[in-house]
């Protein structure tokens, strides 16, 4: 009988609970013991844990957040913290560790594997969708839907006042959310790392200002810009103020923030989380280790952890090209 440990780490993502449920159900199917550590790696370091039963996961598939809680863990960036984590695993006689999280969580798992002989498995759970070799990460689809719903409401107010709104979206240093939400909400402009160079802010401000004035003069309608967080110096509030001063048109910033990380997961995330959760325990049963469980073309795949964290995954090039050549308001000569 194996003893499996499970934790959720880093930023929460809708669907983490669905993955926890799948892991627990599958562990009990194989007669494995399953222990959950609370508050990410902090709970592992400080040995804050609970044996997980089938009752613990009843009714959680549709809940946002994570019943195991989550947190950043600066201690895992130190040799002492990693050693403490390994000591807890050895003390609790854990045979395999499953971590649901993003690249930072996976890097912690890799460091643990250098000092510990147990099996290590990662499940990609992050709204940023920036993990390599998996088409989607748990939480991404829900975050996109949440942002679209919010922007649809913002558009109503923008239309009513013929106003410019600048909506900042999460994604850290990746434009997956920004492009998917921007195109799905018919934004006039999408500003992200993949298509917008902020090296010359003066030139970028001039271009945006000219587009805004042209649209407002000829169409008298709303103008929506979606922008990736961490792109514009000092954020979207600064961009809105600068554009207002240049154009003389009210530009309103709107930071959606953590609303994108909460809420009940959509069906796509529930299904993805369940598939990956089941496959993670099956991999442990087959003595596999040092893997991330991902999905490509609707099929479960096993990827070396070290390959999953290289940040080579790009936004779909067709989306970028369509926005650049066709969908951007800049290309619309007849307004």
């Amino acid at each position: 009988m194996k003893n499996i440990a499970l934790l959720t780490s880093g930023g929460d993502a809708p669907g983490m609970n669905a993955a926890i449920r799948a892991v627990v159900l599958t562990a009990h199917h194989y007669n494995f013991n399953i222990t959950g550590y609370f508050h990410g790696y902090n709970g592992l370091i400080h040995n804050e844990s609970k044996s997980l039963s089938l009752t613990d996961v009843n009714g959680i598939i549709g809940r946002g957040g994570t019943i195991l809680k989550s947190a950043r863990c600066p201690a895992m960036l130190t040799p002492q913290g990693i050693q403490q984590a390994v000591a807890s695993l050895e003390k609790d006689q854990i045979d395999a560790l499953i971590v649901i999280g993003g690249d930072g969580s996976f890097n912690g798992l890799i460091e643990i594997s250098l000092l510990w002989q147990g099996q290590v498995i990662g499940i990609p759970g992050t709204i940023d969708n920036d993990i390599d070799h998996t088409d989607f990460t748990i939480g991404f689809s829900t975050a996109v839907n949440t942002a679209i719903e919010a922007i649809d409401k913002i558009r109503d107010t923008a239309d009513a006042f013929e106003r410019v709104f600048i909506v900042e979206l999460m994604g850290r240093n990746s434009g997956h959310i920004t492009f998917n939400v921007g195109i799905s909400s018919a934004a006039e402009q999408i500003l992200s790392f993949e298509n917008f160079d902020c090296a010359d802010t003066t030139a970028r401000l001039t271009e945006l200002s000219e587009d805004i004035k042209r649209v407002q003069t000829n169409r008298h309608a709303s103008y929506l810009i979606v922008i990736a967080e961490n792109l514009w110096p000092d954020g979207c509030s600064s961009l809105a103020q600068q554009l207002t001063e240049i154009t003389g048109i009210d530009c309103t910033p709107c930071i959606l923030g953590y609303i994108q990380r909460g809420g009940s997961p959509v069906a796509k995330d529930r299904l993805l989380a369940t598939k990956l959760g089941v496959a993670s325990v099956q991999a442990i049963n087959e003595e596999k280790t040092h893997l991330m469980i991902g999905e490509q073309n609707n099929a479960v795949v096993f990827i070396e952890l070290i390959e999953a964290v290289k940040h080579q995954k790009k936004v779909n090039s067709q989306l970028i090209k369509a926005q650049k050549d066709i969908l951007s308001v800049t290309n619309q000569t007849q307004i």
Side-chain angles (χ1 to χ4, degrees):
M1 180 179 289
K2 287 182 180 288
N3 295 320
I4 300 177
L6 172 67
L7 61 86
T8 52
S9 173
D12 62 312
M16 279 187 167
N17 279 327
I20 292 171
R21 172 181 177 271
V23 169
V24 171
L25 291 179
T26 312
H28 282 270
H29 170 78
Y30 286 107
N31 293 317
F32 295 158
N33 294 319
I34 179 75
T35 298
Y37 287 92
F38 294 95
H39 304 111
Y41 284 112
N42 296 290
L44 180 58
I45 289 174
H46 300 295
N47 214 291
E48 182 187 1
S49 65
K50 178 186 185 300
S51 178
L52 296 174
S53 68
L54 297 178
T55 302
D56 291 317
V57 297
N58 281 343
I60 71 169
I61 193 170
R63 287 170 54 183
T66 161
I67 62 168
L68 292 178
K69 313 303 180 183
S70 191
R72 311 292 182 186
C73 184
M76 282 297 292
L77 300 176
T78 69
Q80 295 81 5
I82 296 167
Q83 290 167 3
Q84 285 179 283
V86 169
S88 291
L89 292 169
E90 292 175 343
K91 175 179 177 294
D92 293 342
Q93 298 182 321
I94 300 298
D95 299 301
L97 172 61
I98 299 173
V99 172
I100 306 171
D103 64 327
S105 304
F106 288 176
N107 281 317
L109 196 54
I110 291 169
E111 292 299 319
I112 285 175
S113 72
L114 299 177
L115 302 178
W116 183 60
Q117 297 303 310
Q119 294 169 264
V120 291
I121 301 291
I123 298 177
T126 168
I127 68 169
D128 300 336
N129 201 37
D130 60 350
I131 302 297
D132 292 337
H133 303 294
T134 184
D135 292 340
F136 298 102
T137 57
I138 296 168
F140 172 70
S141 295
T142 305
V144 167
N145 282 12
T146 298
I148 291 171
E149 183 178 354
I151 288 175
D152 284 347
K153 292 179 171 65
I154 291 170
R155 176 71 85 173
D156 290 341
T157 296
D159 281 340
F161 288 89
E162 297 179 356
R163 182 172 293 177
V164 178
F165 269 84
I166 304 173
V167 183
E168 182 179 284
L169 299 170
M170 280 185 163
R172 195 166 49 171
N173 295 312
S174 165
H176 289 279
I177 291 179
T178 303
F179 265 95
N180 280 267
V181 171
I183 289 178
S184 298
S185 57
E188 276 69 30
Q189 292 287 357
I190 297 174
L191 312 183
S192 188
F193 303 96
E194 296 80 4
N195 71 331
F196 195 79
D197 184 4
C198 287
D200 188 347
T201 56
T202 301
R204 301 290 82 77
L205 283 170
T206 299
E207 293 167 1
L208 287 171
S209 299
E210 289 175 353
D211 279 334
I212 290 171
K213 289 187 287 188
R214 180 170 61 93
V215 171
Q216 296 297 76
T217 298
N218 297 329
R219 197 174 68 181
H220 297 288
S222 62
Y223 190 106
L224 178 67
I225 299 172
V226 295
I227 182 171
E229 65 176 349
N230 301 317
L231 177 68
W232 191 264
D234 299 321
C236 81
S237 295
S238 174
L239 175 59
Q241 181 180 352
Q242 291 171 299
L243 288 175
T244 298
E245 292 172 353
I246 295 172
T247 63
I249 300 169
D250 285 339
C251 299
T252 303
C254 184
I255 302 173
L256 295 188
Y258 288 96
I259 187 176
Q260 297 160 87
R261 291 209 329 219
S264 179
V266 298
K268 188 171 183 177
D269 277 326
R270 298 186 194 197
L271 290 169
L272 176 63
T274 299
K275 288 164 64 175
L276 301 189
V278 169
S280 67
V281 180
Q282 290 176 332
I284 289 170
N285 185 56
E286 296 168 5
E287 301 298 332
K288 295 176 179 176
T289 186
H290 296 89
L291 297 176
M292 178 196 76
I293 312 299
E295 184 183 54
Q296 297 176 7
N297 298 319
N298 294 316
V300 171
V301 293
F302 303 102
I303 305 297
E304 291 290 332
L305 275 171
I306 197 68
E307 294 297 321
V309 296
K310 289 185 175 180
H311 286 293
Q312 296 176 338
K313 183 177 179 180
K314 305 297 183 183
V315 174
N316 186 300
S317 59
Q318 292 178 327
L319 289 182
I320 298 174
K321 182 174 175 57
Q323 175 63 21
K324 176 183 177 183
D325 296 342
I326 301 171
L327 302 176
S328 172
V329 73
T330 304
N331 300 306
Q332 299 170 20
T333 57
Q334 295 182 350
I335 296 179

